[in-house]
C-alpha cells in the first residue's frame, strides 16, 4: 500500500527538539502518511484535503484557527500527554473536530518523577553530587544534612490519577497525606491511601512539610501558588511542581527561596521552558530544576504513541475514540 493510500496525519517534524520521537516513526508510517508542518506549508493546496488527523507531540504542531481553517477534512487532534492547556477546546469544537489525549500513559511515570523530586530535594542530592565532584572538597562535614521524608506530611494539590498515584507511593514512606482537590475522593479511596481532605488550600499549606502540585492548568489555577500562599508554608517546607509552570508565580517563589520563607523547591515544569539563561532561579542552590521529563521514559512514550494511533484509527473508522476529551 503506497503512502498516498494511507490516511494523512500532520506531525510537527522528524528532527529537532519539538519533533516526534524518532523511534516511533516507523510504527506510525505503518498506519499513516505522515506529513510534516514544513511540507504542509509548502504544499497547502495539494495536502490540505488529505490530512484527517493531527498528531500533537510536546505541544506541536500548534493548533490555531489558521491551521483549523486550512484542514477541511480534519477529524481528530490526538495529543500526547494529559495536559490540555495548549489546546483551545472551544475553538476546536467549533470546527467539528474531536480531541483525544493519553492520560493513562503518563500517570505512573509522572508520579514516580514527583517522588524522585521530593526525595532529591529533601536529601539535597544535587548539592551533594556537586559537593563530591567539587575540586575544592577536602573533607565532608558530618553536619551536612537534609530533611526527613519518612513520617513527614505531604500535601498534594490535585488528586487526579497522578496525584493519587503519588499518594500511593508516599504511603510506603509512612507519610501523612493531605490533599486539596475540586472534588473530594470517596471514603474508600481516601482510606486506601490514608489521605485527609483539606477543603481549604490554606489549611493544606500550613500543615504540610512538602507541598506537591499535580493539578492541571486552568484560568482558576494559574499562579495559584503566589506570595500569600508561600508565606503560609512552613519555613522548612519544600514545594514540588509536576503540573505546569504557570501554577506558580516564579517571582514570588524566587523571593521565598532567597529569604528563607520556604526551605527549597523542585520543579519539573517552568514558564517558559526552558527559563532564560540569566533567570535568577537558575543561580539558587536550594532549587532543583528538570526539563519537563515527568513522562519521559521509553515505556511511557511508547504507550503514548500506541494510544494516539488507536484513537486516530478509531476516529477514521467511526468507532468510539479511546480517551476522547469532552468538548467544552
Amino acid at each position: 500500500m503506497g503512502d498516498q493510500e494511507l490516511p494523512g496525519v500532520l506531525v510537527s517534524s522528524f528532527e529537532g527538539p519539538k519533533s516526534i520521537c524518532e523511534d516511533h516513526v516507523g510504527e506510525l508510517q505503518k498506519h499513516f502518511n505522515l506529513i510534516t508542518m514544513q511540507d504542509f506549508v509548502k504544499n497547502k493546496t495539494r495536502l490540505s484535503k488529505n490530512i484527517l488527523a493531527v498528531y500533537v507531540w510536546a505541544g506541536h504542531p500548534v493548533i490555531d484557527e489558521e491551521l483549523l481553517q486550512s484542514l477541511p477534512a480534519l477529524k481528530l487532534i490526538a495529543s500526547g500527554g494529559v495536559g490540555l492547556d495548549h489546546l483551545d477546546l472551544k475553538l476546536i469544537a467549533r470546527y467539528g473536530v474531536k480531541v483525544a489525549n493519553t492520560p493513562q500513559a503518563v500517570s505512573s511515570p509522572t508520579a514516580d518523577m514527583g517522588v524522585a523530586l521530593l526525595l532529591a530535594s529533601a536529601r539535597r542530592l544535587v548539592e551533594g553530587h556537586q559537593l563530591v565532584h567539587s575540586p575544592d572538597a577536602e573533607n565532608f562535614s558530618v553536619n551536612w544534612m537534609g530533611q526527613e521524608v519518612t513520617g513527614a506530611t505531604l500535601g498534594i494539590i490535585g488528586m487526579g490519577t497522578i496525584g493519587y498515584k503519588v499518594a500511593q507511593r508516599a504511603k510506603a514512606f509512612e507519610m501523612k497525606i493531605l490533599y486539596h482537590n475540586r472534588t473530594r475522593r470517596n471514603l474508600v479511596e481516601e482510606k486506601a491511601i490514608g489521605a485527609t481532605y483539606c477543603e481549604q488550600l490554606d489549611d493544606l499549606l500550613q500543615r504540610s512539610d512538602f507541598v506537591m502540585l499535580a493539578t492541571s492548568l486552568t484560568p482558576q489555577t494559574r499562579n495559584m501558588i503566589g506570595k500569600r500562599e508561600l508565606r503560609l508554608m512552613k519555613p522548612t517546607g519544600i514545594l514540588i511542581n509536576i503540573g505546569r509552570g504557570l501554577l506558580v508565580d516564579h517571582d514570588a517563589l524566587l523571593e521565598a527561596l532567597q529569604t528563607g520563607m520556604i526551605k527549597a523547591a523542585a520543579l519539573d515544569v517552568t514558564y517558559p521552558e526552558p527559563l532564560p539563561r540569566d533567570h535568577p532561579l537558575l543561580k539558587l542552590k536550594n532549587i532543583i530544576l528538570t526539563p519537563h521529563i515527568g513522562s519521559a521514559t521509553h515505556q511511557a512514550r511508547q504507550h503514548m504513541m500506541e494510544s494516539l494511533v488507536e484513537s486516530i484509527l478509531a476516529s477514521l473508522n467511526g468507532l468510539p475514540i479511546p480517551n476522547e476529551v469532552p468538548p467544552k
Side-chain angles (χ1 to χ4, degrees):
M1 181 179 289
D3 280 353
Q4 295 307 315
E5 295 174 313
L6 294 173
V9 171
L10 184 66
V11 300
S12 55
S13 63
F14 297 136
E15 297 178 344
K18 301 298 183 182
S19 66
I20 63 174
C21 185
E22 182 181 1
D23 295 343
H24 300 167
V25 173
E27 182 63 26
L28 290 169
Q29 287 178 330
K30 293 179 183 178
H31 304 282
F32 312 119
N33 173 27
L34 301 182
I35 300 167
T36 66
M37 276 297 296
Q38 184 178 16
D39 286 342
F40 173 67
V41 170
K42 290 179 180 178
N43 302 281
K44 276 189 179 182
T45 303
R46 181 172 62 86
L47 296 175
S48 61
K49 295 180 180 179
N50 299 332
I51 294 173
L52 304 180
V54 181
Y55 183 93
V56 178
W57 197 256
H60 289 74
V62 174
I63 308 298
D64 55 21
E65 188 153 23
E66 181 181 357
L67 181 63
L68 291 168
Q69 287 175 343
S70 63
L71 299 175
L74 186 64
K75 295 180 178 294
L76 181 74
I77 293 169
S79 180
V82 62
L84 296 165
D85 50 280
H86 59 292
L87 297 175
D88 186 335
L89 297 180
K90 290 182 179 179
L91 172 66
I92 294 167
R94 287 209 303 268
Y95 283 84
V97 177
K98 296 182 177 181
V99 175
N101 62 350
T102 63
Q104 286 80 16
V106 304
S107 56
S108 289
T110 305
D112 291 346
M113 186 69 187
V115 175
L117 288 173
L118 188 156
L119 291 168
S121 56
R123 301 306 300 270
R124 300 170 65 191
L125 292 189
V126 174
E127 289 180 78
H129 174 82
Q130 293 170 341
L131 177 62
V132 168
H133 285 267
S134 171
D136 302 323
E138 296 181 1
N139 53 62
F140 302 141
S141 170
V142 296
N143 296 316
W144 194 90
M145 294 178 287
Q147 304 281 96
E148 189 85 6
V149 171
T150 300
T153 299
L154 169 63
I156 302 172
I157 301 174
M159 190 58 87
T161 305
I162 293 172
Y164 196 82
K165 285 180 178 287
V166 169
Q168 289 175 323
R169 288 151 174 74
K171 184 181 179 183
F173 287 95
E174 302 169 20
M175 299 187 83
K176 302 176 185 70
I177 301 166
L178 309 175
Y179 78 97
H180 174 74
N181 202 46
R182 284 179 301 174
T183 55
R184 183 173 180 173
R185 287 269 184 167
N186 65 53
L187 295 179
V188 174
E189 291 171 327
E190 287 185 353
K191 185 176 180 181
I193 54 174
T196 299
Y197 179 62
C198 294
E199 185 174 357
Q200 300 300 321
L201 176 60
D202 289 4
D203 184 32
L204 179 146
L205 294 171
Q206 291 170 328
R207 295 166 59 186
S208 299
D209 299 303
F210 301 89
V211 173
M212 187 175 300
L213 290 161
T215 191
S216 57
L217 178 64
T218 67
Q220 292 72 37
T221 60
R222 183 177 178 130
N223 284 339
M224 69 182 304
I225 301 297
K227 183 178 291 188
R228 190 189 77 84
E229 289 75 24
L230 290 164
R231 283 176 174 166
L232 291 174
M233 290 178 60
K234 298 178 181 180
T236 54
I238 294 176
L239 178 71
I240 302 119
N241 188 3
I242 56 172
R244 285 291 186 269
L246 283 170
L247 297 173
V248 179
D249 181 333
H250 284 16
D251 291 338
L253 177 61
L254 175 66
E255 180 184 354
L257 292 170
Q258 288 175 327
T259 62
M261 192 183 301
I262 65 172
K263 184 73 173 179
L267 314 178
D268 185 45
V269 287
T270 60
Y271 186 82
E273 293 176 349
L275 290 172
R277 296 300 83 192
D278 61 348
H279 198 287
L281 281 176
L282 297 173
K283 298 176 174 62
L284 300 182
K285 289 186 177 181
N286 56 341
I287 189 170
I288 296 173
L289 296 162
T290 51
H292 202 152
I293 53 174
S295 67
T297 68
H298 291 292
Q299 297 88 339
R301 296 292 170 86
Q302 178 71 19
H303 187 185
M304 286 168 62
M305 181 271 292
E306 292 172 351
S307 296
L308 293 175
V309 169
E310 184 181 5
S311 292
I312 294 172
L313 292 176
S315 172
L316 300 184
N317 289 292
L319 300 174
I321 301 170
N323 301 313
E324 180 178 353
V325 177
K328 287 192 175 183

